[in-house]
């Protein structure tokens, strides 16, 4: 066993190992540069030796053989010069290095024999020249062959072995001394060469490791670890590269950004590990659907698709909808079957988007539009959206310069107890009468102010006005006021609200602050803290537009609420729409079970009211009773429809 491994070691030492392709290539590269020099030294010293022997030795030895050597060596020099600049494959490098190994042996034997053949001719000087030639030339060859350890070793053993044996055998003291000298020098040189080779080898290996590591780092930095899709960082790099290509080739490029509908409740209801598995499955379906496009995970439940060479617009939307359709198929998990859908926004270069930012923003805008109006399907950014963006931008700029304290006003819509038709309070609703734009709906300017981050500057004057008006009401009446997420996601924002309530003198116990569930998706911790601070003050908190978002019941429990408002989309024609009817019914049951009050919004007809009565609804708001009214009209309304008056004109 031991002997075999010892033999194996010697064999390894003498041959060129093929197990490390990078090392082979590095050896090849280092080696190619040194070979012409080695042959140059070898030939010039050979000719020098041949010339000193011309007087003494036969022409065959002094001209014939060196010419032959020169010819052979020149062939090799040409070979090395020609291959100097190629990047070899590991196989090629291995073949060439193996051949070098064999050639090194053959050349060493040939030159040694030739040198010995010259010894019998000439005098002591020329014999010394032979010794000098062999000793010194071999040293330079060994250095040149340094990176192919085996070749260097073979040459040393052949040339020096013969040299030492030959000159020791002459028993001539000078030659014996030279032989011993050469033996020692060669031993020293071999040990330096071995150390050097080991350093070279480990340098190549560590460079290789560093490269592998940086490749791995690069891969990890660009990959989403959960789904295995390329990540957000890779997305922007790729988008820029594809855009560059599309620009250069004059082709189109489509970008789709996608957001899952109903993902958050899955996370809330089943836990994050199920949510994670769902994302993995979505990613699998997504990449399984795409052929010529690439999918990315931008983060959370947001994905993106880059499609070079998209089809014409109508087909593009059909394809995108097919993807949404595929993602809508139920997901069967051990914990239960999960239903989600995916909304997608698409923008196309160069149709309506000219650079990376515009392409992304516009796809994102189309997604926002899809989420609002066409949940679960794909929307292509078109010229209408562009008009909308321009008009939003105009509204935003006018809003930023508006005299808000004067231009904004508040109207009040009654909330009625349908058991005795009495007004129990009013919801304050913002109105903006702009000198430049005329009347602008809050459904339009509030979201714009929210996106521009300036909604706080609207909330404060509106809240002051609403409280000032409500302070004049009968103390049995409550005031509802709408807040934006932005009003609650900073400690300072909520302190400002508390300050306004306190300085108004209005009893916080009579105040309901309405927030939508999206408020909690911004910064759950901060918004919950803000809401709790307002609760401690005595304010009620109503969850507005309940049912339109994706609040799960578990989530609803976690929020410090006192009330929820059923969105008017469920109320419309509920007597004719069994689905709406059932939803309102179960939401009312839920409110009873949770001990929360419930206001039903948007009641417009007697039929709807009758249906709500049979379901046990009590607090109702809607055009059937009154539209939002100016302050004085609201007071009149309350006077006419106050408690115990029991009459209502509808
Ligand atoms: P919201 O809080 O859901 O307010 C109810 C909206 O429904 C009001 O629209 C109201 O006029 C309308 N409405 C009331 N009864 C009926 C009905 O029977 N049928 C129909 N179709 N609609 C009815 P408005 O005043 O245009 O307000 C729109 C939205 O703007 C509000 O929806 C609210 O989200 C936001 N908003 C209004 N004022 C403010 C405010 O002061 N602050 C904040 N942050 N948002 C506000
Ligand atoms: Ca509201
Ligand atoms: Ca509402």
């Amino acid at each position: 066993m031991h002997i075999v491994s010892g033999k194996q070691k010697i064999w390894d030492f003498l041959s060129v190992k093929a197990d490390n392709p990078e090392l082979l290539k590095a050896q090849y590269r280092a080696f190619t540069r040194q070979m012409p020099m080695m042959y140059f030294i070898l030939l010039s010293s050979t000719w020098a030796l041949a010339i000193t022997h011309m007087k003494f030795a036969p022409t065959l030895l002094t001209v014939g053989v060196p010419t032959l050597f020169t010819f052979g060596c020149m062939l090799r020099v040409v070979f090395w010069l020609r291959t100097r600049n190629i990047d070899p494959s590991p196989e090629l490098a291995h073949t060439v290095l193996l051949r070098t190994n064999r050639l090194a042996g053959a050349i060493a034997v040939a030159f040694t024999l030739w040198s010995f053949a010259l010894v019998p001719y000439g005098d002591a000087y020329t014999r010394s020249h032979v010794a000098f030639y062999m000793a010194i030339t071999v040293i330079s060859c060994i250095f040149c062959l340094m990176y192919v350890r085996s070749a260097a070793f073979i040459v040393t053993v052949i040339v020096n072995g013969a040299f030492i044996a030959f000159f020791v055998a002459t028993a001539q003291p000078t030659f014996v001394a030279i032989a011993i000298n050469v033996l020692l020098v060669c031993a020293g040189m071999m040990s330096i060469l071995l150390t050097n080779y080991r350093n070279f080898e480990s340098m190549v290996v560590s460079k290789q490791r560093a490269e592998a590591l940086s490749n791995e780092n690069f891969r990890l930095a660009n990959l989403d670890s959960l789904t295995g899709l390329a990540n957000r960082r890779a997305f922007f790099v790729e988008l820029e590269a594809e855009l560059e290509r599309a620009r250069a080739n004059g082709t189109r490029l489509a970008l789709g950004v996608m957001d899952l509908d109903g993902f958050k409740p899955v996370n809330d209801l089943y836990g994050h590990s199920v949510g994670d598995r769902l994302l993995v499955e979505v990613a699998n379906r997504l990449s399984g659907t795409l052929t010529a496009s690439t999918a990315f995970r931008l983060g959370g439940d947001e994905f993106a698709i880059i499609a070079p060479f998209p089809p014409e617009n109508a087909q593009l939307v059909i394809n995108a909808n097919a993807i949404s359709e595929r993602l809508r198929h139920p997901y069967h998990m051990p914990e239960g079957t999960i239903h989600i859908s995916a909304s997608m926004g698409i923008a196309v270069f160069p149709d309506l988007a000219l650079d990376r930012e515009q392409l992304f923003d516009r796809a994102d805008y189309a997604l926002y539009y899809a989420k609002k109006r066409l949940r679960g399907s794909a929307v292509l950014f078109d010229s209408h959206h562009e008009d909308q963006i321009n008009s939003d931008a105009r509204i935003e700029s006018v809003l930023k310069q508006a005299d808000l304290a004067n231009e904004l006003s508040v109207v009040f819509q009654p909330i009625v107890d349908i058991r005795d038709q009495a007004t129990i309070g009013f919801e304050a609703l913002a109105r903006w009468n702009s000198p430049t734009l005329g009347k602008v709906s809050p459904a339009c300017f509030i979201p714009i102010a929210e996106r521009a981050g300036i909604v706080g500057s609207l909330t404060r004057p509106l809240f002051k006005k609403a409280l000032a008006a409500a302070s004049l009401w009968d103390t049995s009446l409550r005031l509802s006021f709408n807040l934006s997420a932005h009003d609650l996601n900073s400690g300072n924002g909520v302190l400002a609200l508390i300050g306004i309530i306190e300085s108004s003198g209005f009893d916080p116990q009579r105040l309901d602050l309405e927030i939508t569930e999206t408020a909690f998706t911004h910064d759950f911790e901060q918004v919950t803290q803000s809401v709790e601070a307002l609760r401690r003050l005595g304010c009620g908190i109503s969850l507005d537009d309940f049912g339109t978002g994706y609040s799960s019941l578990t989530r609803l429990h976690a929020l410090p609420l006192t009330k929820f408002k059923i969105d008017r989309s469920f109320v419309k024609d509920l007597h004719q729409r069994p689905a709406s009817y059932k939803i309102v019914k179960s939401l009312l049951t839920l409110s009873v079970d949770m001990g929360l009050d419930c206001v039903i919004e948007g009641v417009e007809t007697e039929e709807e009211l009758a249906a709500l009565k049979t379901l046990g609804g009590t607090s109702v708001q809607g055009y059937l009773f009154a539209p939002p009214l100016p302050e004085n009209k609201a007071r009149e309304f309350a006077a006419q429809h106050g408690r115990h008056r029991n009459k209502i004109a509808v």
Side-chain angles (χ1 to χ4, degrees):
M1 198 59 192
H2 186 79
I3 298 168
V4 173
S5 73
K7 262 188 190 168
Q8 186 65 43
K9 265 189 189 163
I10 294 173
W11 175 246
D12 283 350
F13 191 79
L14 290 179
S15 71
V16 181
K17 282 194 280 175
D19 54 359
N20 187 338
E22 277 311 309
L23 180 62
L24 278 172
K25 285 162 71 174
Q27 279 179 298
Y28 179 93
R29 276 193 291 266
F31 194 66
T32 349
R33 281 195 291 275
Q34 297 182 358
M35 280 302 92
M37 183 165 63
M38 186 192 85
Y39 283 113
F40 171 74
I41 295 171
L42 187 58
L43 285 180
S44 49
S45 16
T46 299
W47 278 109
L49 187 66
I51 290 165
T52 59
H53 280 77
M54 276 183 182
K55 271 197 298 207
F56 313 103
T59 318
L60 180 70
L61 279 182
T62 55
V63 179
V65 177
T67 307
L68 206 67
F69 284 169
T70 306
F71 187 69
C73 289
M74 286 318 281
L75 278 181
R76 295 299 294 160
V77 168
V78 169
F79 169 79
W80 288 115
L81 285 177
R82 280 173 63 180
T83 52
R84 195 173 37 176
N85 292 327
I86 64 163
D87 184 28
S89 67
E91 293 72 29
L92 175 71
H94 190 230
T95 315
V96 171
L97 294 179
L98 268 183
R99 192 188 310 139
T100 301
N101 235 13
R102 280 196 297 271
L103 268 176
I107 291 173
V109 170
F111 278 78
T112 307
L113 290 178
W114 175 73
S115 311
F116 289 154
L118 288 175
V119 175
Y121 306 98
D123 52 17
Y125 284 123
T126 52
R127 268 194 291 280
S128 304
H129 191 179
V130 173
F132 177 79
Y133 163 77
M134 290 181 77
I136 208 74
T137 312
V138 81
I139 290 175
S140 69
C141 290
I142 290 170
F143 268 112
C144 292
L145 290 169
M146 185 156 71
Y147 296 114
V148 184
R149 184 182 57 181
S150 47
F153 190 75
I154 290 168
V155 170
T156 312
V157 170
I158 294 175
V159 180
N160 284 339
F163 176 88
I164 290 159
F166 186 87
F167 284 101
V168 167
T170 61
Q172 212 287 331
T174 311
F175 285 135
V176 174
I178 290 177
I180 294 170
N181 197 337
V182 165
L183 178 73
L184 293 175
V185 169
C186 278
M189 250 177 42
M190 269 327 279
S191 101
I192 292 172
L193 187 132
L194 291 183
T195 319
N196 234 342
Y197 182 79
R198 265 198 302 274
N199 289 346
F200 173 71
E201 203 174 28
S202 67
M203 191 186 79
V204 171
V205 171
S206 52
K207 187 170 157 234
Q208 211 177 335
R209 281 207 196 109
E211 268 171 16
L213 198 69
S214 81
N215 284 348
E216 180 63 5
N217 283 346
F218 180 81
R219 204 180 67 83
L220 289 179
N222 287 283
L223 220 64
D224 172 52
S225 57
L226 176 68
T227 60
L229 293 181
N231 63 14
R232 189 180 184 87
R233 174 199 179 108
F235 165 74
F236 284 107
V237 174
E238 184 71 19
L239 185 59
E240 188 63 62
E242 285 294 346
L243 255 179
E244 222 23 75
R245 199 168 313 158
R247 246 182 233 127
N249 301 339
T251 50
R252 295 162 80 231
L253 176 74
L255 166 66
V257 291
M258 208 181 80
D259 189 287
L260 302 181
D261 312 306
F263 176 72
K264 285 196 179 71
V266 170
N267 246 351
D268 289 348
L269 212 60
Y270 294 99
H272 285 267
S273 82
V274 175
D276 282 356
R277 271 185 281 135
L278 182 63
L279 288 174
V280 171
E281 183 51 33
V282 166
N284 289 345
R285 284 193 196 178
L286 202 54
S287 21
T289 323
L290 304 176
T291 45
S293 319
T294 325
F296 301 81
R297 181 174 173 220
L298 299 184
D301 58 350
E302 252 185 70
F303 296 83
I305 299 168
I306 298 178
F309 316 111
E312 45 84 27
N313 288 350
Q315 187 60 43
L316 181 63
V317 175
I318 291 174
N319 294 356
N321 274 321
I323 295 174
S324 295
E325 180 59 40
R326 180 137 182 206
L327 297 179
R328 197 178 305 136
H329 284 248
Y331 295 78
H332 301 289
M333 304 257 175
E335 291 80 1
T337 299
I338 294 171
H339 295 265
I340 53 163
S341 61
S343 304
M344 200 191 307
I346 309 166
V348 178
F349 167 87
D351 302 3
L352 281 170
L354 293 171
D355 58 29
R356 190 180 79 164
E357 275 64 39
Q358 212 172 30
L359 198 57
F360 186 73
D361 287 351
R362 298 198 152 187
D364 202 45
Y365 184 92
L367 170 65
Y368 164 83
Y369 186 91
K371 280 259 176 218
K372 266 197 143 161
R373 312 264 179 90
L374 281 165
R375 219 170 248 268
S377 40
V379 168
L380 176 69
F381 186 91
D382 62 19
S383 54
H384 296 112
H385 297 129
E386 194 175 37
D387 295 345
Q388 187 66 53
I389 286 182
N390 292 338
S391 113
D392 284 3
R394 179 161 158 71
I395 292 174
E396 183 182 324
S397 89
V398 177
L399 195 58
K400 279 181 174 162
Q401 289 157 23
D403 175 3
L404 293 174
N406 278 324
E407 294 173 27
L408 288 176
S409 61
V410 193
V411 288
F412 298 91
Q413 186 175 36
I415 301 170
V416 176
D417 184 334
I418 53 177
R419 287 168 303 188
D420 60 2
Q421 314 279 18
T423 308
I424 46 181
F426 289 92
E427 175 178 4
L429 293 157
R431 294 292 177 263
W432 179 29
N433 195 354
S434 157
T436 4
L437 302 171
K439 285 185 176 154
V440 186
S441 154
C444 168
F445 71 81
I446 294 281
I448 292 176
E450 285 174 343
R451 280 202 297 276
I454 54 167
V455 78
S457 60
L458 277 68
T459 302
R460 288 187 289 272
L462 287 168
F463 199 23
K464 282 180 193 160
K465 288 187 180 195
L467 285 166
S471 301
L472 305 174
W473 300 344
D474 185 279
T475 51
S476 65
L477 292 170
R478 302 183 66 80
L479 169 70
S480 286
F481 186 82
N482 294 285
L483 289 180
S484 291
H486 297 265
D487 295 320
L488 299 171
N489 62 13
S490 81
N492 284 342
V494 78
L495 281 179
L497 294 179
I498 291 174
I500 292 173
I501 298 171
E502 284 176 341
S503 58
S504 75
F506 189 80
D507 180 3
Q509 307 273 357
R510 289 169 53 205
L511 190 58
D512 290 310
L513 296 168
E514 299 192 4
I515 50 178
T516 58
E517 55 197 288
T518 51
F520 289 94
T521 58
H522 283 247
D523 179 351
F524 187 82
E525 292 300 319
Q526 178 59 54
V527 171
T528 308
Q529 272 182 28
S530 303
V531 166
E532 277 165 353
L534 291 165
R535 287 280 287 121
R536 277 196 298 278
L537 199 67
C539 304
I541 305 291
S542 304
L543 190 65
D544 205 357
D545 305 342
F546 186 62
T548 55
Y550 277 92
S551 274
S552 69
L553 301 184
T554 41
R555 189 154 189 156
L556 199 59
H557 263 300
L559 307 178
L561 302 174
T562 51
K563 220 177 248 193
F564 55 80
K565 299 186 77 170
I566 300 181
D567 189 68
R568 67 168 182 268
S569 57
F570 301 109
V571 178
K572 184 154 182 53
D573 299 331
L574 89 159
H575 53 289
Q576 290 166 342
R577 291 162 62 201
S580 299
Y581 189 86
K582 275 189 204 149
I583 290 173
V584 174
K585 186 177 172 187
S586 50
L587 291 180
L588 283 168
T589 314
L590 183 72
S591 80
V592 175
D593 290 349
M594 290 179 65
L596 297 177
D597 287 338
C598 180
V599 178
I600 304 156
E601 294 189 288
V603 181
E604 294 183 357
T605 66
E606 289 291 354
E607 290 81 1
E608 290 165 359
L609 180 64
L612 290 172
K613 273 186 178 154
T614 59
L615 287 176
T618 53
S619 307
V620 167
Q621 193 180 338
Y623 293 165
L624 178 64
F625 303 99
L629 303 166
E631 189 186 339
N632 54 346
K633 290 268 187 283
R635 250 182 295 143
E636 270 175 32
F637 185 92
Q640 281 168 23
H641 306 290
R643 199 131 258 166
H644 315 301
R645 286 177 203 264
N646 239 3
K647 55 177 187 184
I648 185 163
V650 288

